[in-house]
Amino acid sequence: MRSRALPIATALLLVLALWYVAAAALNWTQANGDLLGTMSLAKPLLPAPHQIAIEFWNSTAGQRIDSKRSLVFHAAVTASSTLVGFALGVAIGLLLAIVLVHVRVLDRALLPWIVASQTVPILAIAPMIVVVFGALGLTGLLPKAVIAAYLSFFPVVIGVAKGLRAPDQLQLDLLHTYDASRRRVLAVLRWPAAMRFLFPSLKVAIAASTVGAIVAELPTGAESGLGARLLAGSYYGQTLQIWAALAMASLLAASGVGVVVLCERLVIRARGGRL
Amino acid sequence: MIQRALPILFGVAVLLLWQAVVVLFDIPRILLPAPTEIFAALIADPGTLLADLNQTFFHSTLIGLAIGCTGGFAAALLIDRSPFLRRGFLPLASLAGALPIVGIAPIAVMWFGFDWPSKAAVVAALTFFPSFVHTIAGLDSVGALERDLMTSLAASRGQMLRKLQLPASLPFLFAALKVNAVLALTGAVVAEFFGTPTVGMGFRIATEAARMNIDRVWAMIFVVALCGSGSYAIIALAERRFAHRS
Amino acid sequence: MSDTVVEARNLDLAFGDVAALSNVDFTVARGDFVSLIGPSGCGKTSLLRVVADLAQPTGGTILVNGTSPHAARLARAYGYVFQAPALLPWRTVERNVTLPLEIIGLPKDEQRARAAQQLDAVGLGAFKRKFPWQLSGGMQQRASIARALSLQPSLLLMDEPFGALDEITRDGLNLRLLRLWEATNLTVIFVTHSIEEAAFLSSRIVVMSARPGRIVEVIDSDLPRGRDLDIRDDARFHALAGRVRTALRAGHSYA
């Protein structure tokens, strides 16, 4: 752990330094050649990192949580559709994976379409899903969650299906000698073996789900959510607001991944240190 | 033979069922147009379709993809020379790959204008990180035995790279390309939601959806899907041709 | 109880065009330690798998404990030890041993008691909380033997269980296995390609030849019970090993 801290800190510092240089260069004309001025413009082409940090602080700690100007409020809106979509996507993904592994015909017939479904940039459908759901009288969280779910089910199907097939022939033979039922083989062998594949899939899924929830807010004309905040910022050229929203979105995605990593650690610990 | 036909049979069955359900239950076109209606919308206005395709796929997507992939690859080659920097940047890049990078679309518009360069920039940013991470993994995938062999032959760094590391990382590069092909198209389409000249597949989808011309939306989605699957298939074919099995 | 545990007549087994077993007659009496020895591809593992109902013969008849192999498997009449330990890496050693007991639905404390008993028998009592990957290869294979014995079968089927281990570990495990067999009324069928191992362990040695797999000769051992590793320096041991070697060579000229 400690051997990684130093290189990562160095890399972070390098990125920050480059950022300042880029900010100075990009904002040079706007600040009329005043170097310090490049760091304090109201609508800079590229805000300096500390400007983003200040804006982030002002729009989180500086606002009441239920205020429309609070990033926490917008993040909560996006987080709720992310989580509902993630839960939905994972449930569908697990179910499909189990079916694919146990029914050969479906594996042959469905798998190419599941793969093809992801070569369809599904976010492109977002506006339509919103319209279709709207026509059915469903608005708000559900359409966004569906889009997030569509993005997150795929890594789960592929990863878990691979994991459920991971046990080798010896282990399967072993359970065969015990005359174990298919359900039993799933419970004691396939599912535990799939853990190693489940967690990487979940990390991808939660990240995809976050992107899905944010993008789904764009065409809905939503007034709340990080996507809406990005869109509003871009209308009015409020670069600081955009970057602060981006920072919050990144924080949201990163903490989602962080929670998955935490769960993974717990499972690893329960297994004596190995997955 | 039957096994190969199975997915096709399944697809045809779904299409037939779709058509039957729409016709039989008289489903409003707003909810779900029949496949035949979508096909009609697809061939109704080839001029607009080609213009959209040209803008979003042949400019934003492909150019952005080329820049992002080469950029990530080059950056990985550079950083591979310093194990210290590699250990620092690899976790950052992996994390960046999980962040909602499409969100920079409004900023790209401010920097590069409304036309395709801003979309290509978003695509480049999106595809950079997978390319970087996969290339590093590929360069790292060389076994200790092979490395020792090259060292015992007193091979130079360049020889080590050309004769050992690059061939070994081919499967990883193709994996990155596959991920990126889909990512790039998504990014190009979504970036157009943040403003675009009145052309492009994302623009078309958004405006036709707002006008409730759902058959045209589906037709455009079909085209987008075709582009996505098509690029994926081409990369998969190239992989089968060039990458050794591992 | 009948005195014959396994009785096969005119057994054939083919994978497509390839005959793995051809016209095999094979009998195992209760309490025997029978080794199947032969070159790779002689069908010795296939024969064991037919006994275990892991492979279906394409011809002939076979009875295990007087019933079909299928019925014997459903009755959990045998324990099977594979070439590799095949332990589940996410379960502790103890929970690996209780796995078959969980599947037949024994009460928890009974499971634990039996696991403790079998782990003690293979000398792993102190390691039950460890995970498989924290054990050496030999210890892992001992755990897998304890697992096979936890069902308290009367028949133990072993498919080159020590093939992947170093010779010193293998000697130790062979002695342990021999003592275990002598202390119980287990019947063991043991697949190996080591002449020494077969000669040291067995009460009968079945020599097989390849392509198609068939039985060349059945050799009864005249070595005493309670033998020690030192017996390998004995003239009787050399004579026995020599007979096996001659039979193997004879079998080779068939092919």
Side-chain angles (χ1 to χ4, degrees):
Chain A
M1 255 347 252
R2 191 167 302 153
S3 66
R4 277 177 58 184
L6 188 64
I8 291 179
T10 313
L12 267 177
L13 277 177
L14 271 175
V15 170
L16 275 182
L18 266 178
W19 192 312
Y20 272 107
V21 172
L26 279 167
N27 303 332
W28 188 258
T29 10
Q30 206 184 332
N32 296 318
D34 172 11
L35 183 60
L36 275 180
T38 57
M39 301 293 152
S40 53
L41 295 168
K43 294 183 177 182
L45 260 181
L46 179 62
H50 70 267
Q51 282 183 288
I52 301 173
I54 292 168
E55 168 73 15
F56 187 85
W57 177 258
N58 287 341
S59 49
T60 49
Q63 307 287 338
R64 281 182 41 205
I65 279 183
D66 56 350
S67 154
K68 283 262 172 188
R69 300 176 62 181
S70 162
L71 260 187
V72 179
F73 164 76
H74 292 290
V77 171
T78 303
S80 54
S81 35
T82 301
L83 285 182
V84 174
F86 176 69
L88 212 62
V90 170
I92 294 169
L94 289 182
L95 211 68
L96 264 176
I98 291 170
V99 168
L100 287 190
V101 168
H102 285 92
V103 189
R104 256 193 106 68
V105 181
L106 280 183
D107 183 43
R108 294 268 179 189
L110 274 182
L111 195 62
W113 288 100
I114 290 177
V115 172
S117 83
Q118 298 300 306
T119 67
V120 180
I122 204 63
L123 289 175
I125 307 190
M128 206 202 45
I129 291 179
V130 171
V131 169
V132 169
F133 273 65
L136 289 170
L138 296 169
T139 51
L141 185 134
L142 201 61
K144 294 186 278 179
V146 165
I147 291 162
Y150 200 112
L151 277 170
S152 51
F153 94 94
F154 176 73
V156 177
V157 181
I158 299 300
V160 174
K162 197 171 171 188
L164 293 175
R165 289 203 177 93
D168 59 34
Q169 196 55 48
L170 282 190
Q171 294 170 326
L172 290 169
D173 277 349
L174 176 75
L175 288 181
H176 188 63
T177 67
Y178 304 148
D179 187 36
S181 65
R182 271 151 69 108
R183 188 182 300 183
R184 190 66 92 141
V185 173
L186 181 66
V188 301
L189 183 59
R190 291 192 187 274
W191 175 248
M195 282 302 130
R196 219 150 48 80
F197 297 81
L198 176 69
F199 285 107
S201 298
L202 288 184
K203 284 177 220 168
V204 177
I206 189 84
S209 183
T210 315
V211 175
I214 291 171
V215 171
E217 287 163 1
L218 300 181
T220 52
E223 290 173 357
S224 49
L226 293 174
R229 189 85 170 159
L230 281 176
L231 208 53
S234 85
Y235 280 151
Y236 303 111
Q238 295 284 0
T239 40
L240 282 176
Q241 185 186 323
I242 297 179
W243 280 103
L246 274 179
M248 185 51 109
S250 305
L251 193 66
L252 195 63
S255 33
V257 175
V259 170
V260 174
V261 170
L262 205 70
C263 296
E264 188 181 23
R265 291 253 169 89
L266 288 179
V267 172
I268 290 178
R269 190 196 284 178
R271 289 183 174 188
R274 249 193 221 188
L275 201 56
Chain B
M1 205 48 212
I2 286 180
Q3 307 224 312
R4 290 192 141 225
L6 215 50
I8 299 171
L9 285 178
F10 180 79
V12 171
V14 167
L15 272 186
L16 285 177
L17 190 71
W18 180 349
Q19 183 84 24
V21 166
V22 169
V23 172
L24 283 179
F25 295 95
D26 205 16
I27 295 192
R29 187 182 287 192
I30 292 245
L31 278 188
L32 190 66
T36 48
E37 291 173 303
I38 295 173
F39 185 70
L42 185 69
I43 56 174
D45 191 356
T48 312
L49 186 83
L50 281 180
D52 290 342
L53 196 63
N54 183 42
Q55 170 83 4
T56 306
F57 186 63
F58 289 103
H59 283 88
S60 315
T61 306
L62 290 188
I63 293 175
L65 184 66
I67 296 172
C69 285
T70 15
F73 178 71
L77 283 191
L78 275 179
I79 216 122
D80 190 56
R81 305 197 141 239
S82 157
F84 180 79
L85 285 185
R86 191 182 56 198
R87 264 185 303 162
F89 276 103
L90 192 57
L92 289 188
S94 314
L95 180 65
L99 302 181
I101 294 178
V102 263
I104 65 162
I107 292 162
V109 168
M110 284 172 206
W111 288 6
F112 301 106
F114 275 109
D115 213 346
W116 64 264
S118 65
K119 317 308 175 232
V122 174
V123 171
L126 268 174
T127 51
F128 176 89
F129 294 105
S131 173
F132 180 82
V133 171
H134 278 83
T135 307
I136 292 216
L139 296 175
D140 233 21
S141 71
V142 176
L145 274 184
E146 289 86 343
R147 231 180 255 272
D148 285 351
L149 172 71
M150 293 303 272
T151 312
S152 75
L153 296 172
S156 67
R157 277 207 82 117
Q159 287 171 320
M160 179 90 93
L161 190 67
R162 275 197 314 279
K163 308 244 180 252
L164 189 59
Q165 288 183 290
L166 282 184
S169 52
L170 260 190
F172 293 82
L173 298 184
F174 275 107
L177 262 184
K178 282 188 197 162
V179 173
N180 276 342
V182 180
L183 205 59
L185 196 54
T186 313
V189 170
V190 171
E192 290 180 5
F193 295 162
F194 285 96
T196 165
T198 55
V199 62
M201 303 199 282
F203 167 79
R204 198 67 57 205
I205 288 171
T207 45
E208 298 296 354
R211 289 184 196 150
M212 299 285 174
N213 290 328
I214 299 300
D215 50 346
R216 289 202 198 158
V217 176
W218 275 102
M220 192 48 82
I221 285 169
F222 176 74
V223 174
V224 174
L226 219 55
C227 290
S229 319
S231 352
Y232 191 92
I234 288 174
I235 296 166
L237 272 178
E239 179 179 25
R240 205 178 295 177
R241 173 80 181 70
F242 294 114
H244 58 93
R245 314 217 169 271
S246 55
Chain C
M1 257 212 218
S2 140
D3 279 346
T4 310
V5 181
V6 176
E7 187 160 28
R9 292 273 163 269
N10 304 322
L11 211 56
D12 288 323
L13 174 66
F15 301 110
D17 295 340
V18 185
L21 290 175
S22 168
N23 201 19
V24 166
D25 289 329
F26 177 60
T27 317
V28 177
R30 186 159 307 283
D32 257 355
F33 194 122
V34 177
S35 284
L36 303 176
I37 188 169
S40 328
C42 73
K44 51 195 192 297
T45 293
S46 296
L47 180 53
L48 199 68
R49 289 175 63 86
V50 168
V51 174
D53 188 39
L54 291 173
Q56 309 308 321
T58 38
T61 57
I62 178 164
L63 292 178
V64 177
N65 277 347
T67 62
S68 72
H70 184 68
R73 177 169 65 85
L74 297 199
R76 277 99 177 181
Y78 66 81
Y80 200 107
V81 178
F82 294 89
Q83 280 156 323
L87 299 169
L88 305 186
W90 51 84
R91 285 175 167 245
T92 57
V93 169
E94 180 185 34
R95 299 240 303 134
N96 263 293
V97 175
T98 57
L99 174 72
L101 309 177
E102 269 172 46
I103 286 173
I104 63 172
L106 280 191
K108 276 254 187 297
D109 25 324
E110 167 93 31
Q111 287 181 23
R112 246 176 253 132
R114 279 214 213 169
Q117 178 197 340
Q118 296 304 340
L119 282 171
D120 283 340
V122 297
L124 283 180
F127 295 91
K128 61 180 189 176
R129 299 253 175 272
K130 296 274 185 214
F131 286 87
W133 45 270
Q134 294 167 322
L135 266 53
S136 71
M139 290 160 90
Q140 289 183 20
Q141 199 53 287
R142 267 145 72 190
S144 98
I145 293 171
R147 177 179 62 192
L149 293 177
S150 69
L151 282 168
Q152 298 175 340
S154 59
L155 175 62
L156 187 60
L157 307 177
M158 307 181 89
D159 183 9
E160 297 185 34
F162 311 136
L165 303 175
D166 65 85
E167 198 169 342
I168 299 163
T169 311
R170 180 194 272 229
D171 281 351
L173 287 181
N174 277 338
L175 190 60
R176 218 178 249 283
L177 177 63
L178 198 62
R179 293 285 175 266
L180 191 83
W181 170 68
E182 285 163 352
T184 55
N185 53 356
L186 264 178
T187 310
V188 182
I189 306 179
F190 188 95
V191 168
T192 180
H193 51 221
S194 156
I195 296 173
E196 247 196 15
E197 193 172 54
F200 176 65
L201 288 170
S202 316
S203 58
R204 306 180 86 190
I205 301 169
V206 175
V207 181
M208 298 181 71
S209 74
R211 276 174 287 273
R214 61 174 83 229
I215 290 173
V216 187
E217 197 174 340
V218 178
I219 301 168
D220 283 310
S221 168
D222 50 1
L223 301 182
R225 278 193 162 236
R227 60 190 89 139
D228 222 317
L229 283 169
D230 296 337
I231 198 160
R232 294 179 301 180
D233 300 324
D234 197 299
R236 286 174 297 178
F237 182 88
H238 289 293
L240 180 63
R243 283 178 67 192
V244 175
R245 199 168 290 120
T246 311
L248 278 170
R249 210 173 291 139
H252 210 62
S253 62
Y254 277 76

